[in-house]
Every structure is written in structure tokens, then in C-alpha cells.
Amino acid sequence: EAQVTQNPRYLITVTGKKLTVTCSQNMNHEYMSWYRQDPGLGLRQIYYSMNVEVTDKGDVPEGYKVSRKEKRNFPLILESPSPNQTSLYFCASSAATGSPGELFFGEGSRLTVL
Amino acid sequence: GDSVTQMEGPVTLSEEAFLTINCTYTATGYPSLFWYVQYPGEGLQLLLKATKADDKGSNKGFEATYRKETTSFHLEKGSVQVSDSAVYFCALSVLSGYALNFGKGTSLLVTP
């Protein structure tokens, strides 16, 4: 089954404690992206990657890092989380050929930073 | 920059009512337009899309037509069901074609 898998689905942490949210896709997609979803603000892109070792900032990259060492994985790293990073995070992927914009989303990771 | 504006919710309808969710866009080029749906507790999934002016996207009884003259892509359904209760996002593709700019979402609640 084609899917994008995120872990953990739920996490409560404290300010300053480094954490990583993993994302893995099994569709051999070149493009991967992270979004955060906040009430009244919709989805905002954090980082994206066009392929292995190619990453770039989205609209709200501050406080986040990413890496793309393998095609299937695109982890999101919060080096020193702060309460304003409390949010619902989505990973998404897409093929770089064919129909643009057909993103496949994970089920989301709800992060609370105390 | 390229952006979409969609009507604010929540929208509450009775089962079998007609649905319209408005979406307008601003773009420098000729974007593709999309509607995504997010059911409670799930990620977003593509509902329909249109890649050029006058195209009509359709799926699961939902329709939307790409109107270049009014820069709109309104979502419609003739008879909604309780199972349509979800958040609906309008989106457009940016120049690269792979990133999307999303609207803020419109929550729809359909009551029996």
C-alpha cells in the first residue's frame, strides 16, 4: 500500500529538548515536504526536498532542520523546541514527474512543547 | 506572491443540501488548482484538480471549474452527506509545480 508514515503521531516534550519527527514514503517519490498546520493559519511549508541531498527552506523554516540522505526518508529536526512550535505537522511526498501538485500526506504528528 | 483565499467556516448544512465553498486565487503565471480534503484525525488527500483554464475537476460528486476570468475555483456538490463533514483546502501550485500554497481551510459540518 502506498503511504507516507510519520512517527511519532503524538508527542509532548519540554522546551529545549531536541527531538526528531521521522517521515518515510514507499512510493519512490523524489519530492518531499514538511508542513505545519495551525488554527486560523492553514498549512504552511517548513522545508522541502527535490531529491537526495537537495533541501530548501519553505515559508516558516526558523527553528527547524531537515536532512535527505535517502530517497525514502525526510526527518524533521527540532534542535531546541519552543512553545511556539506546538503544532500539527504533516509530511508529504510527490513524484517529480507526471502530475504536479498531487501530494500524498502522512497522518500527521501532533507536537506539544511545554 | 501566489496565494489562495477561501471562504471562512465553519459551514453547517443539512444532509442533501447544496454546497459551495468559494476559492479565489492570485498568481503571476498559470497555476494548477486543487481541492484537498482532511477528514477528522487524518492527513490531507487530493479531492480534485484542474490544470488549465475552463478545466473542470470532479470526484465523489464534488466539482470545481478553473475560471481564469474571475480567478476562481469554487467547490460545489449538489447533495452533501454526513460523511462529507471535513475540512476542505483550496491550493495552487507554485512555479516549481511541486510545492503547493494552501488556503486556510473551510470546515464543513453536515447534520442528519
Side-chain angles (χ1 to χ4, degrees):
Chain A
E1 179 189 354
Q3 58 186 2
V4 178
T5 303
Q6 299 178 222
N7 280 295
R9 295 287 312 280
Y10 302 91
L11 179 63
I12 301 174
T13 189
V14 295
T15 299
K17 186 176 181 181
K18 180 180 178 180
L19 68 91
T20 299
V21 185
T22 64
C23 173
S24 180
Q25 50 92 6
N26 64 359
M27 295 168 279
N28 202 35
H29 284 166
E30 291 81 9
Y31 178 87
M32 297 186 74
S33 179
W34 278 102
Y35 289 86
R36 61 178 289 175
Q37 183 179 19
D38 301 289
L41 297 177
L43 277 84
R44 294 178 292 169
Q45 190 179 48
I46 303 170
Y47 269 94
Y48 65 94
S49 169
M50 294 297 293
N51 214 324
V52 176
E53 302 292 0
V54 180
T55 63
D56 209 345
K57 296 177 181 179
D59 298 318
V60 288
E62 295 78 21
Y64 305 95
K65 286 175 57 178
V66 293
S67 68
R68 188 89 182 273
K69 293 184 171 60
E70 304 167 286
K71 196 173 186 180
R72 63 182 293 124
N73 296 324
F74 189 46
L76 180 70
I77 303 158
L78 286 73
E79 292 271 2
S80 182
S82 62
N84 65 11
Q85 292 178 298
T86 292
S87 187
L88 179 58
Y89 292 86
F90 287 101
C91 180
S93 72
S94 175
T97 56
S99 302
E102 291 195 51
L103 291 174
F104 291 80
F105 282 82
E107 292 184 310
S109 296
R110 185 168 293 281
L111 171 65
T112 301
V113 182
L114 301 175
Chain B
D2 295 355
S3 65
V4 295
T5 302
Q6 60 183 106
M7 62 187 287
E8 294 190 19
V11 174
T12 302
L13 294 173
S14 298
E15 204 164 24
E16 299 184 2
F18 184 87
L19 169 71
T20 300
I21 299 178
N22 291 336
C23 172
T24 57
Y25 68 90
T26 301
T28 52
Y30 301 96
S32 294
L33 300 172
F34 306 84
W35 278 100
Y36 278 77
V37 59
Q38 183 181 29
Y39 297 105
E42 299 183 9
L44 282 74
Q45 55 186 274
L46 179 65
L47 180 59
L48 54 84
K49 69 173 185 176
T51 57
K52 62 183 186 298
D54 299 325
D55 268 3
K56 177 186 282 188
S58 62
N59 187 25
K60 299 182 180 179
F62 291 89
E63 293 183 340
T65 301
Y66 190 149
R67 303 281 189 202
K68 185 180 175 186
E69 62 275 14
T70 54
T71 62
S72 65
F73 193 55
H74 304 321
L75 182 68
E76 297 181 335
K77 187 174 185 183
S79 176
V80 293
Q81 305 300 311
V82 172
S83 57
D84 293 326
S85 298
V87 180
Y88 293 82
F89 292 89
C90 185
L92 61 73
S93 61
V94 296
L95 286 176
S96 70
Y98 307 112
L100 296 181
N101 284 350
F102 287 89
K104 293 184 179 180
T106 302
S107 175
L108 170 66
L109 175 64
V110 181
T111 59

